[in-house]
Amino acid sequence: MALTLPNVPYLNSGIPGLLTPHAVQIHVTKHHQGYITAANNLLKGSPFAGKSVEEIIKAADGPIFNNVAQHFNHSFYWECLTEQKKGISEAVESVLTKTFGSIKDFKDQFLQKASTVFGSGWVYLSKDPSGGLVIKQYANALNPIKEGGIPLLTVDAWEHNWYIDYENRKAEFFERFFDHVNWSFVELKFKAAGLI
Ligand SMILES: [Fe+2]
């Protein structure tokens, strides 16, 4: 089955205080759609046709991996953001505090990693294969699934994510990011990963 864009609830509204409608629309309908179109063309007639996105990410490399992984990364990222401000749930806060010392320490570490990705990539909070929580940088299209981890929260550290609204002021985008995280989605991921 061909890959398609997910529903992005704030496609037309943008995320007030973080991203304008124009920036969201270009990112979703041009960048993300571009990866989907390329992936569908590459998958046609390949040994990966009909496989799940996760199976392809684990087994493929080269252009098929890059485009399918970018489809996953973006779909996951859209879910991590919300136009409605939501507070962090107590259950998630307690797990993060146990691992990172405090929510402030967790946010500081996540943003430090996000703002220092050199070139293009992603930062993920994930459950690593040994069961621990880790914040890691991933170059280009890579993500935790490739190494057997479970993604819990991500931010797009490609320049196209902020350049339309913030130009070279990358730090400003990341300073605002945590005010717009969809903690309900993150909580679902924590539950599915058996963390709460
Ligand atoms: Fe992106």
Side-chain angles (χ1 to χ4, degrees):
M1 205 171 68
L3 304 175
T4 54
L5 274 180
N7 174 45
V8 178
Y10 46 82
L11 182 63
N12 295 316
S13 62
I15 299 181
L18 185 69
L19 291 166
T20 59
H22 178 63
V24 172
Q25 284 158 13
I26 295 286
H27 202 163
V28 173
T29 67
K30 306 294 181 192
H31 291 283
H32 187 173
Q33 181 61 55
Y35 297 122
I36 290 172
T37 303
N40 285 333
N41 287 334
L42 290 161
L43 288 169
K44 230 177 275 169
S46 88
F48 296 105
K51 303 264 190 219
S52 74
V53 166
E54 281 77 8
E55 285 172 316
I56 299 169
I57 288 174
K58 282 181 182 159
D61 55 17
I64 289 187
F65 168 78
N66 286 335
N67 286 287
V68 172
Q70 281 294 74
H71 170 53
F72 174 87
N73 290 334
H74 282 91
S75 301
F76 199 88
Y77 177 49
W78 303 137
E79 298 256 41
C80 288
L81 293 174
T82 175
E83 74 281 23
Q84 308 157 345
K85 290 199 177 181
K86 290 182 184 179
I88 188 166
S89 77
E90 271 179 39
V92 170
E93 185 168 348
S94 142
V95 175
L96 290 177
T97 302
K98 221 175 276 170
T99 307
F100 298 99
S102 70
I103 289 301
K104 186 184 177 306
D105 287 325
F106 162 70
K107 289 181 179 177
D108 287 350
Q109 285 183 42
F110 191 93
L111 293 183
Q112 197 277 334
K113 293 244 162 77
S115 57
T116 56
V117 169
F118 189 78
S120 299
W122 297 82
V123 166
Y124 271 91
L125 168 71
S126 67
K127 183 180 173 187
D128 73 14
S130 66
L133 286 191
V134 286
I135 303 168
K136 278 180 68 177
Q137 297 178 333
Y138 294 89
N140 300 315
L142 282 168
N143 64 43
I145 291 176
K146 190 75 173 163
E147 53 195 30
I150 301 173
L152 301 167
L153 170 69
T154 195
V155 67
D156 188 343
W158 284 59
E159 198 173 63
H160 68 226
N161 187 29
W162 61 80
Y163 205 81
I164 290 174
D165 288 335
Y166 297 87
E167 298 181 331
N168 64 324
R169 301 182 312 278
K170 173 163 86 166
E172 233 177 274
F173 170 81
F174 285 119
E175 274 161 28
R176 296 176 184 198
F177 168 75
F178 268 114
D179 289 336
H180 305 276
V181 166
N182 186 352
W183 289 110
S184 310
F185 173 74
V186 176
E187 185 177 4
L188 286 178
K189 295 288 119 182
F190 269 60
K191 278 186 185 152
L195 292 161
I196 53 177

